[in-house]
């Protein structure tokens, strides 16, 4: 390994001497801002509790940018700031801006993103949101200095809806968790049903307590509870809205009727999944696993895509100024190779990254939306989420 | 319905006729080899009759193909087995393997026929292998996800593309050092030199363009864009590039657009788009350059194009996800 590095170094030095003898290295500094919190414990014991969700994706992209930078005379760095649970992220953001940063990956919930985006320090800076799925951040609450790498709930719901409609599984029953984000996911599904011709034949709130993750004979309880709770009018697919992973995993194979389960569990729409290996995806999965020692999550993928976006832009424009980067990302020259078969670009009406959405089972990729039968005058990718004519965002 | 039938019968007669003509006019028989990355097979096709002669099982995920200089052996990048397999073309048996480094994807044989240059997609390296001693000579570090490798006819330059770094690396084959890095559009794939060695043509799959680089100055002198009525822009993904031996015509496979672009090499104009199968990746000329064979990944077939009339003659069913193709006199 050492031997390889030496060769690489020699090669770089030669390049630098030939091409860039007079030029100064362009410094591209990227901040990663997040906050410590309780880690979500997945219901399935097979899934890991992930302590560092997101960060390794940014680290991998920074490594990739740096490799390119060695050939283009650019130095990339990632400065990670993970604030304590009771710390103040807005203050930390201001501190980082003081230190000269202007490009940020923000791995935070919606409210915190808005606080930061509206703070004085954020003027002229560029934030890449990699977690918040709230559609309001792309609509009424959009901000001109915030780009959205994670797909919104509506994009995910549209992607799932297109596939269900393509299958002619048009009648949906909604099983909704008790948290506001579960209701938000269910609302997104309802919107998609109207858009693509699905029919919600009924909905119900899941009322049982989540209970402990590890229980002896837990399956006995689930076997009794689930059929009782799902004895409803006939439907084609049960769509579950359980973002906190509290009960959805109990539904498949236990519903009263022999019907598939989709939504936040079962057949899921997602930005990224460990089973995805199309379009060279294997390479990204392998690189990530080597670096992080675990599979890539949707948030890792978003952080990767954000840092790679900055890398692509700064390599092309030879500038690391936030405004220049933003202008390039919205130009027709920007095309990110995101291992999803088509170039990824940004919507200039709300700052959302246009991207295909994977539809996956727990262990296999099933399909990728948009489904090709859903046409669009500009880009099929714009059949997912709020399209230009529906946009309420005025900040761009 | 009637008119469709008539038309179809007529065109079949026409194809049959042209096949008969080309069979009569052609002096030498030749063979076409196609790798299918899903089925782990090499399909052997008779170049004239277009009949499938044999299907040979090889290692995991066969992709790039290359012939030995004496045309007796076929080198196969079996990517998931992390080596190059060598297929004896008399016995159609794999005789041995070559150490290629991990995940070999595309390769090219040097003009002396002794050294094989292999892109290791997973390892950011171009591996140089001596095919006689079966030893790895050296590994050259390049950008992320190395893919295409092209060698200039004089054997002086190796151009390697790296898909994530978006570059064409010009490697001096005397010193084995990178001398220039040319930024091209997103996700560069195949690199091909013109027969006079003055230009390198680089396809960019996600960028949707082909960059023509001047070998002397290492600068992009032309960027070729593609536009096909009724096909959305992002479906146009150039991958395979083949330049004819007279250097005046270039054939470019456009992936999900299911088209081959025929480009005039002096004006850089696209003269024609030919409809082939879905997700067309790579292509190969027949030895006499009267035909072109394309691998159509999603439709699992090979399209056969008559070069003079620029018409698609036939499609031949092969294994699932055909990837590489090469012809042997």
């Amino acid at each position: 390994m050492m031997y390889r590095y030496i060769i690489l170094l020699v090669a770089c030095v030669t390049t630098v001497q030939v091409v860039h003898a007079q030029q100064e290295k362009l410094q591209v500094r990227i901040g990663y801002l997040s906050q410590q919190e309780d880690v979500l414990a997945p219901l399935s014991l097979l899934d890991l509790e992930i302590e560092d969700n997101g960060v390794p994706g940014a680290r991998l992209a920074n490594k990739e940018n740096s490799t390119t930078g060695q050939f283009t005379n650019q130095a990339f760095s990632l400065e990670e700031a993970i604030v304590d649970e009771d710390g103040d992220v807005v203050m930390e953001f201001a501190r980082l801006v003081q230190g000269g940063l202007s490009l940020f990956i923000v791995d935070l919930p919606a409210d915190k993103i808005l606080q930061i985006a509206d703070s004085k320090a954020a003027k002229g800076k560029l934030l890449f949101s990699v977690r918040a799925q709230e559609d309001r951040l792309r609509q009424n609450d959009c901000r001109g200095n915030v780009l959205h790498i994670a797909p919104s709930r509506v994009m995910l719901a549209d992607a799932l809806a297109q596939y269900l409609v393509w299958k002619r599984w048009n009648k949906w029953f909604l099983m909704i968790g008790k948290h506001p984000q579960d209701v938000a996911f269910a609302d997104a599904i309802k919107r998609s049903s109207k858009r693509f011709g699905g029919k919600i034949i009924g909905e119900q709130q899941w009322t049982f307590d989540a209970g402990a993750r590890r229980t002896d004979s837990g399956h006995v309880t689930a076997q009794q509870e689930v059929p009782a709770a799902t004895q409803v009018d006939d439907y084609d697919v049960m769509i579950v809205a359980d973002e906190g992973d509290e009960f959805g995993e109990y539904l498949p194979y236990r519903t009263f009727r022999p019907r598939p389960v989709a939504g936040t569990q079962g057949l899921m729409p997602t930005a990224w999944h460990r089973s995805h290996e199309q379009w060279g995806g294997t390479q990204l999965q392998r690189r990530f696993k080597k670096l992080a020692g675990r599979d890539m999550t949707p948030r890792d993928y978003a952080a990767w895509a954000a840092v790679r976006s900055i890398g692509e832009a700064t390599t092309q424009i030879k500038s690391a100024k936030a405004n220049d980067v933003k202008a390039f990302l919205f130009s027709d020259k920007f095309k990110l190779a995101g291992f999803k078969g088509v170039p990824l670009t940004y919507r200039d009406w709300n700052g959302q990254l246009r991207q295909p959405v994977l539809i996956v089972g727990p262990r296999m990729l099933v399909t990728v939306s948009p489904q090709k039968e859903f046409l669009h005058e500009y880009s099929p990718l714009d059949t997912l989420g709020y399209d230009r004519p529906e946009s309420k965002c005025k900040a761009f | 319905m009637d008119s469709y039938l008539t038309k179809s019968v007529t065109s079949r007669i026409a194809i049959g006729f042209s096949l008969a003509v080309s069979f009569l006019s052609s002096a030498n028989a030749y063979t076409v080899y196609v790798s299918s990355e899903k089925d782990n097979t090499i399909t052997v096709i008779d170049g004239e009759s277009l009949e499938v002669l044999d299907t040979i099982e090889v290692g995991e995920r066969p992709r790039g193909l290359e012939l030995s200089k004496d045309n007796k052996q076929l080198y196969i990048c079996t990517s998931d087995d992390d080596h190059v397999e060598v297929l004896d073309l008399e016995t159609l048996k794999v005789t041995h393997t070559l150490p290629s480094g991990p995940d070999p994807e595309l390769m090219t044989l040097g003009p002396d026929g002794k050294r094989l240059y292999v892109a290791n997609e997973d390892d950011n390296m171009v591996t140089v292998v001596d095919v006689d001693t079966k030893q790895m000579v050296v590994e050259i570090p390049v950008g992320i996800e190395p893919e295409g490798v092209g060698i200039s006819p004089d054997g002086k330059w190796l151009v390697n593309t790296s898909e994530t770094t978006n570059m064409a690396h010009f490697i001096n084959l005397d010193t084995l050092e990178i001398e220039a890095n040319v930024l091209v559009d997103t996700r560069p794939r195949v690199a091909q030199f013109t027969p006079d060695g003055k230009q390198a043509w680089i396809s960019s799959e996600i960028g949707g363009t082909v960059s023509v680089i001047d070998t002397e100055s290492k600068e992009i002198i032309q960027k070729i864009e593609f536009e096909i009525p009724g096909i959305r822009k992002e479906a146009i993904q150039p991958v395979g590039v083949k330049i004819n031996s007279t250097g005046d015509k270039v054939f470019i496979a456009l992936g999900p657009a299911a088209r081959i672009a025929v480009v005039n090499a002096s004006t850089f104009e696209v003269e024609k788009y030919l409809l082939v199968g879905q997700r067309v990746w790579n292509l190969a000329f027949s030895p006499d350059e009267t035909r072109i064979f394309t691998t159509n990944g999603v439709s699992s077939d090979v399209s056969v194009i008559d070069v003079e009339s620029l018409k698609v003659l036939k499609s031949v069913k092969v294994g699932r996800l055909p990837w590489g193709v090469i012809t042997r006199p």
Side-chain angles (χ1 to χ4, degrees), chain B residues 66-78:
Chain B
E66 186 69 299
L67 275 173
S68 64
K69 278 282 172 264
D70 60 7
N71 291 324
K72 286 186 175 154
Q73 293 175 322
L74 181 69
Y75 303 116
I76 308 160
C77 285
T78 37

Side-chain angles (χ1 to χ4, degrees), chain A residues 70-127:
Chain A
Q70 287 169 330
F71 298 119
T72 55
N73 201 31
Q74 286 169 305
F76 289 87
S77 62
L78 185 71
E79 295 167 41
E80 298 168 16
I82 316 293
V83 179
D84 286 345
E85 212 161 331
D86 50 2
D88 186 336
V89 286
V90 183
M91 262 175 64
E92 180 63 13
F93 176 78
R95 195 188 64 79
L96 293 169
V97 169
Q98 278 268 301
L101 288 178
S102 60
L103 299 165
F104 292 89
I105 312 304
V106 281
D107 175 7
L108 291 164
D111 287 336
K112 297 253 162 81
I113 286 177
L114 289 178
Q115 284 171 29
I116 291 171
D118 292 340
S119 71
K120 219 171 133 194
K123 207 162 173 268
K125 310 295 179 293
L126 195 55
L127 316 180

Side-chain angles (χ1 to χ4, degrees), chain A residues 313-370:
Chain A
T314 52
T315 305
Q316 295 290 336
I317 60 180
K318 318 267 183 250
S319 159
K321 291 199 178 80
N323 282 334
D324 295 346
V325 170
K326 186 178 156 190
F328 185 81
L329 294 182
F330 285 128
S331 77
D332 58 5
K333 290 200 180 66
F334 176 78
K335 288 172 183 172
L336 184 68
F339 302 94
K340 290 191 183 183
V342 291
L344 310 186
T345 53
Y346 287 88
R347 288 179 180 150
D348 60 7
W349 60 88
N350 66 3
Q352 170 72 53
L353 184 72
R354 268 189 198 96
Q355 57 191 303
V357 170
L358 314 179
I359 310 287
V360 300
R363 293 164 64 85
M364 269 290 195
L365 177 79
V366 174
T367 183
V368 181
S369 284

Side-chain angles (χ1 to χ4, degrees), chain A residues 158-375:
Chain A
D158 284 348
L160 178 63
Q162 284 191 7
Y163 179 64
L164 297 181
V165 169
W166 184 86
K167 288 292 291 172
R168 300 184 194 279
W169 295 344
N170 292 344
K171 288 187 286 179
W172 308 340
F173 188 87
L174 268 171
M175 186 64 79
I176 309 165
K178 61 184 174 195
H179 303 288
Q181 67 265 34
D182 302 335
V183 176
F185 184 83
D187 286 345
I189 292 286
K190 288 176 192 167
R191 175 186 167 278
S192 301
S193 74
K194 292 197 191 88
R195 230 168 136 83
F196 299 110
K199 192 163 184 281
I200 313 273
I201 63 118
E203 64 175 82
Q204 198 165 292
Q205 208 190 44
W206 185 262
T207 47
F208 296 99
D209 263 343
R213 188 182 178 214
R214 272 198 173 80
T215 48
D216 225 339
S217 314
H219 71 280
V220 179
T221 328
Q223 193 168 337
Q224 288 162 350
E225 283 175 358
V226 176
T230 55
Q231 198 167 350
V232 296
D233 284 348
D234 201 10
Y235 57 88
D236 295 324
V237 189
M238 174 157 294
I239 299 188
V240 54
D242 168 30
E243 289 197 356
D245 200 23
E246 293 179 349
F247 66 92
E249 213 68 72
Y250 288 138
L251 300 186
Y253 316 113
R254 290 192 176 105
T255 51
F256 179 75
R257 295 177 191 281
R259 300 281 181 270
V261 173
T264 50
Q265 285 79 17
L267 184 71
M268 299 175 287
T270 179
W272 193 255
H273 192 255
R274 61 187 173 187
S275 68
H276 174 59
E277 55 150 30
Q278 309 293 303
W279 304 297
T282 316
Q283 263 62 47
L284 184 61
Q285 303 275 27
R286 284 186 188 162
R287 286 204 293 275
F288 183 87
K289 205 162 184 174
K290 204 166 160 189
L291 179 103
R294 59 171 175 80
D295 290 315
M296 193 176 213
T297 67
R299 199 187 300 172
D300 295 321
Y301 177 75
W304 174 86
V307 175
R308 286 287 298 122
S309 292
I310 297 171
E312 286 294 297
T314 52
T315 305
Q316 295 290 336
I317 60 180
K318 318 267 183 250
S319 159
K321 291 199 178 80
N323 282 334
D324 295 346
V325 170
K326 186 178 156 190
F328 185 81
L329 294 182
F330 285 128
S331 77
D332 58 5
K333 290 200 180 66
F334 176 78
K335 288 172 183 172
L336 184 68
F339 302 94
K340 290 191 183 183
V342 291
L344 310 186
T345 53
Y346 287 88
R347 288 179 180 150
D348 60 7
W349 60 88
N350 66 3
Q352 170 72 53
L353 184 72
R354 268 189 198 96
Q355 57 191 303
V357 170
L358 314 179
I359 310 287
V360 300
R363 293 164 64 85
M364 269 290 195
L365 177 79
V366 174
T367 183
V368 181
S369 284
Q371 301 296 315
K372 67 179 184 333
E373 288 75 11
F374 294 90
L375 305 175

